Amino acid sequence: MKKHNFSAGPCILPQDVLKKASEAVLNFNGLDLSLIEISHRSKEFVEVMENARNLVKELLNVPNGYSVLFLQGGASLEFLMTAYNLLKVDGKAAYLDTGAWAAKALKEAKLLGEIDVVASSKDKTYNYIPKNYAIPADVDYFHCTSNNTIYGTQIKEFPKTDSLLVCDMSSDIFSKQIDVSKFDLIYAGAQKNMGPAGTTLVIVKDSILGKTGRKIPSMLDYQVHINKDSMFNTPPVFPVYVSMLTLQWLKDLGGVAAIEKINEEKAALLYAEIDRNPLFKGFAEVEDRSLMNVTFNLTNEEDKEAFDKIWNAAGISGIKGHRSVGGYRASIYNAMPIESIQVLVNAMQQLEK
């Protein structure tokens, strides 16, 4: 039976990418050596790293003056690296609290300085994005999380600020068009839309670095990684390679503009059923609904056993909601085909019947 993978991450990847990646593990580029056993200093892997970085620049129209890095540690390490590299000694930063990951980011930053939480949606279990908040003029940077995987909310319009703008785009990077020039630092774990867990994409404006007045450990210093072309230490060769393949797949599909249109169609199909079907209700506020993570609950919890049997029988996987929200979460990242969305819609309609 075909599986329909709605996992929140590590998540679905294109089948063509998985096939090419598996072949490379056995025999990479006809070398009769595995991708994961060749030197990361070899010209073959240096070419992989360069291709991956260039695809990021091309797909997101990254302006001159920005560096693209593939690092390790996930977004969780970026929570700390952001503060180390941008928060001045005795400085202050502003954070928008829109979910569990945003809260973890500000927790790490508090280790290094004063943090001003400008707004929070914790009062309603993070089911909306705060609006009309003020960002203080005296902060070193403002940090936000573009898409909240657990709660199914997404920032539709980013605030204007005179301070540096930092964004964790782990779960919606490459899913829609963005103007990179409006941001000073973007970071994203690979395991949602780009590749397997193990590498983290960082896009940083070069001119903002080296101004904190603090000593930064080498592994946490963006400038060190820029100087070494993402190879200060042995890079995660397999995740970088699979990310390169996924970015090439996206380019061949027509790029970010093309996938954005597809993603809008997929989300519209599923949200329409949630709103139409009296047995279901959406969790997130309508205006803040995510195009990547669709969160919903049953109107009557007594239907849970019956619905779980239906979607399991249909080959659906990974739609159980996060424990803090309950219900269901359908993660519909770039590689999720619309046919799988229809299978879930059919399951919801079967429960209704």
Side-chain angles (χ1 to χ4, degrees), residues 181-207:
S181 69
K182 291 183 177 179
F183 299 87
D184 297 281
L185 172 64
I186 294 169
Y187 63 86
Q191 68 275 11
K192 311 292 186 181
N193 262 333
M194 197 172 69
T199 192
T200 310
L201 173 66
V202 174
I203 304 171
V204 59
K205 193 172 186 177
D206 298 320
S207 61

Short mmCIF file of all heavy atoms in Angstrom, two decimals, residues 181-207:
data_model
loop_
_atom_site.label_atom_id
_atom_site.label_comp_id
_atom_site.label_asym_id
_atom_site.label_seq_id
_atom_site.Cartn_x
_atom_site.Cartn_y
_atom_site.Cartn_z
N SER A 181 16.48 40.42 0.99
CA SER A 181 17.11 41.70 1.32
C SER A 181 16.48 42.38 2.52
O SER A 181 17.08 43.27 3.13
CB SER A 181 17.06 42.64 0.11
OG SER A 181 15.74 43.06 -0.16
N LYS A 182 15.27 41.98 2.88
CA LYS A 182 14.60 42.56 4.05
C LYS A 182 15.09 41.94 5.36
O LYS A 182 14.78 42.44 6.44
CB LYS A 182 13.09 42.40 3.93
CG LYS A 182 12.46 43.24 2.82
CD LYS A 182 10.96 43.09 2.80
CE LYS A 182 10.34 43.98 1.73
NZ LYS A 182 8.85 43.83 1.67
N PHE A 183 15.83 40.84 5.25
CA PHE A 183 16.30 40.12 6.43
C PHE A 183 17.82 40.27 6.55
O PHE A 183 18.53 40.38 5.56
CB PHE A 183 15.94 38.63 6.34
CG PHE A 183 14.46 38.38 6.28
CD1 PHE A 183 13.79 38.38 5.07
CD2 PHE A 183 13.72 38.14 7.44
CE1 PHE A 183 12.43 38.16 4.99
CE2 PHE A 183 12.36 37.92 7.38
CZ PHE A 183 11.71 37.93 6.15
N ASP A 184 18.30 40.23 7.78
CA ASP A 184 19.74 40.26 8.03
C ASP A 184 20.29 38.88 8.32
O ASP A 184 21.46 38.61 8.06
CB ASP A 184 20.02 41.22 9.19
CG ASP A 184 19.62 42.64 8.86
OD1 ASP A 184 20.37 43.32 8.14
OD2 ASP A 184 18.51 43.06 9.28
N LEU A 185 19.44 38.02 8.86
CA LEU A 185 19.83 36.64 9.15
C LEU A 185 18.61 35.74 9.03
O LEU A 185 17.57 36.01 9.62
CB LEU A 185 20.42 36.53 10.56
CG LEU A 185 20.72 35.13 11.09
CD1 LEU A 185 21.80 34.44 10.26
CD2 LEU A 185 21.16 35.17 12.56
N ILE A 186 18.75 34.70 8.23
CA ILE A 186 17.72 33.67 8.09
C ILE A 186 18.38 32.33 8.40
O ILE A 186 19.48 32.06 7.94
CB ILE A 186 17.14 33.63 6.66
CG1 ILE A 186 16.37 34.92 6.33
CG2 ILE A 186 16.25 32.40 6.47
CD1 ILE A 186 16.01 35.05 4.86
N TYR A 187 17.72 31.52 9.21
CA TYR A 187 18.24 30.16 9.43
C TYR A 187 17.11 29.16 9.35
O TYR A 187 15.94 29.50 9.57
CB TYR A 187 19.00 30.06 10.74
CG TYR A 187 18.22 30.31 12.02
CD1 TYR A 187 17.51 29.27 12.64
CD2 TYR A 187 18.22 31.56 12.62
CE1 TYR A 187 16.82 29.49 13.82
CE2 TYR A 187 17.53 31.79 13.80
CZ TYR A 187 16.83 30.76 14.40
OH TYR A 187 16.13 30.97 15.57
N ALA A 188 17.46 27.92 9.00
CA ALA A 188 16.43 26.90 8.81
C ALA A 188 17.02 25.51 8.89
O ALA A 188 17.97 25.20 8.17
CB ALA A 188 15.75 27.08 7.45
N GLY A 189 16.48 24.68 9.78
CA GLY A 189 16.84 23.27 9.78
C GLY A 189 16.38 22.64 8.48
O GLY A 189 15.33 23.00 7.93
N ALA A 190 17.16 21.69 7.97
CA ALA A 190 16.88 21.13 6.64
C ALA A 190 15.67 20.20 6.60
O ALA A 190 15.07 20.01 5.54
CB ALA A 190 18.11 20.37 6.15
N GLN A 191 15.28 19.65 7.74
CA GLN A 191 14.41 18.46 7.75
C GLN A 191 12.93 18.71 7.51
O GLN A 191 12.11 17.86 7.77
CB GLN A 191 14.60 17.70 9.06
CG GLN A 191 14.10 18.39 10.31
CD GLN A 191 15.11 19.36 10.91
OE1 GLN A 191 16.12 19.70 10.30
NE2 GLN A 191 14.83 19.83 12.10
N LYS A 192 12.59 19.89 6.99
CA LYS A 192 11.19 20.16 6.66
C LYS A 192 10.99 20.20 5.14
O LYS A 192 10.21 19.46 4.58
CB LYS A 192 10.73 21.48 7.28
CG LYS A 192 11.07 21.65 8.74
CD LYS A 192 10.29 20.72 9.64
CE LYS A 192 10.54 21.03 11.11
NZ LYS A 192 9.84 20.12 12.02
N ASN A 193 11.71 21.11 4.49
CA ASN A 193 11.50 21.30 3.06
C ASN A 193 12.75 21.10 2.21
O ASN A 193 12.70 21.24 1.00
CB ASN A 193 10.99 22.74 2.80
CG ASN A 193 9.49 22.80 2.63
OD1 ASN A 193 8.87 21.83 2.23
ND2 ASN A 193 8.91 23.93 2.95
N MET A 194 13.87 20.77 2.84
CA MET A 194 15.13 20.83 2.11
C MET A 194 15.91 19.53 2.07
O MET A 194 16.63 19.26 1.11
CB MET A 194 16.00 21.93 2.73
CG MET A 194 17.15 22.40 1.88
SD MET A 194 17.97 23.84 2.60
CE MET A 194 18.76 23.12 4.04
N GLY A 195 15.83 18.71 3.10
CA GLY A 195 16.63 17.49 3.13
C GLY A 195 16.41 16.73 4.42
O GLY A 195 15.45 16.97 5.14
N PRO A 196 17.31 15.82 4.75
CA PRO A 196 17.20 15.08 6.01
C PRO A 196 17.75 15.91 7.17
O PRO A 196 18.47 16.89 6.97
CB PRO A 196 18.07 13.84 5.76
CG PRO A 196 19.10 14.30 4.79
CD PRO A 196 18.44 15.35 3.93
N ALA A 197 17.43 15.50 8.37
CA ALA A 197 18.00 16.16 9.55
C ALA A 197 19.52 16.02 9.52
O ALA A 197 20.06 15.03 9.04
CB ALA A 197 17.43 15.53 10.82
N GLY A 198 20.21 17.05 10.04
CA GLY A 198 21.66 16.95 10.12
C GLY A 198 22.39 18.17 9.61
O GLY A 198 23.57 18.36 9.92
N THR A 199 21.72 19.00 8.82
CA THR A 199 22.34 20.25 8.41
C THR A 199 21.35 21.39 8.56
O THR A 199 20.13 21.17 8.57
CB THR A 199 22.89 20.19 6.97
OG1 THR A 199 23.73 21.33 6.74
CG2 THR A 199 21.78 20.16 5.93
N THR A 200 21.89 22.59 8.68
CA THR A 200 21.09 23.78 8.88
C THR A 200 21.54 24.86 7.91
O THR A 200 22.74 25.14 7.81
CB THR A 200 21.26 24.32 10.32
OG1 THR A 200 21.07 23.26 11.24
CG2 THR A 200 20.28 25.44 10.61
N LEU A 201 20.60 25.43 7.19
CA LEU A 201 20.91 26.51 6.26
C LEU A 201 20.95 27.84 7.01
O LEU A 201 20.06 28.14 7.81
CB LEU A 201 19.84 26.57 5.17
CG LEU A 201 19.92 27.75 4.20
CD1 LEU A 201 21.19 27.66 3.36
CD2 LEU A 201 18.68 27.80 3.31
N VAL A 202 21.98 28.63 6.75
CA VAL A 202 22.09 29.98 7.31
C VAL A 202 22.39 30.94 6.17
O VAL A 202 23.28 30.69 5.35
CB VAL A 202 23.21 30.07 8.37
CG1 VAL A 202 23.40 31.52 8.82
CG2 VAL A 202 22.88 29.19 9.57
N ILE A 203 21.61 32.01 6.09
CA ILE A 203 21.85 33.09 5.13
C ILE A 203 22.06 34.35 5.96
O ILE A 203 21.16 34.80 6.67
CB ILE A 203 20.65 33.28 4.18
CG1 ILE A 203 20.31 31.97 3.46
CG2 ILE A 203 20.93 34.38 3.17
CD1 ILE A 203 19.01 32.01 2.68
N VAL A 204 23.27 34.91 5.92
CA VAL A 204 23.61 36.02 6.81
C VAL A 204 24.23 37.17 6.03
O VAL A 204 25.05 36.97 5.13
CB VAL A 204 24.55 35.54 7.94
CG1 VAL A 204 25.85 34.94 7.40
CG2 VAL A 204 24.86 36.67 8.92
N LYS A 205 23.81 38.36 6.37
CA LYS A 205 24.37 39.57 5.77
C LYS A 205 25.76 39.81 6.35
O LYS A 205 25.91 39.97 7.56
CB LYS A 205 23.45 40.76 6.04
CG LYS A 205 23.73 41.99 5.23
CD LYS A 205 22.64 43.03 5.45
CE LYS A 205 22.82 44.22 4.54
NZ LYS A 205 21.70 45.21 4.71
N ASP A 206 26.75 39.85 5.51
CA ASP A 206 28.13 39.91 5.98
C ASP A 206 28.43 41.13 6.85
O ASP A 206 29.18 41.03 7.83
CB ASP A 206 29.09 39.91 4.77
CG ASP A 206 28.97 38.64 3.93
OD1 ASP A 206 28.85 37.55 4.53
OD2 ASP A 206 28.99 38.72 2.69
N SER A 207 27.84 42.26 6.51
CA SER A 207 28.20 43.51 7.17
C SER A 207 27.72 43.61 8.62
O SER A 207 28.14 44.51 9.35
CB SER A 207 27.63 44.70 6.38
OG SER A 207 26.21 44.63 6.31
#
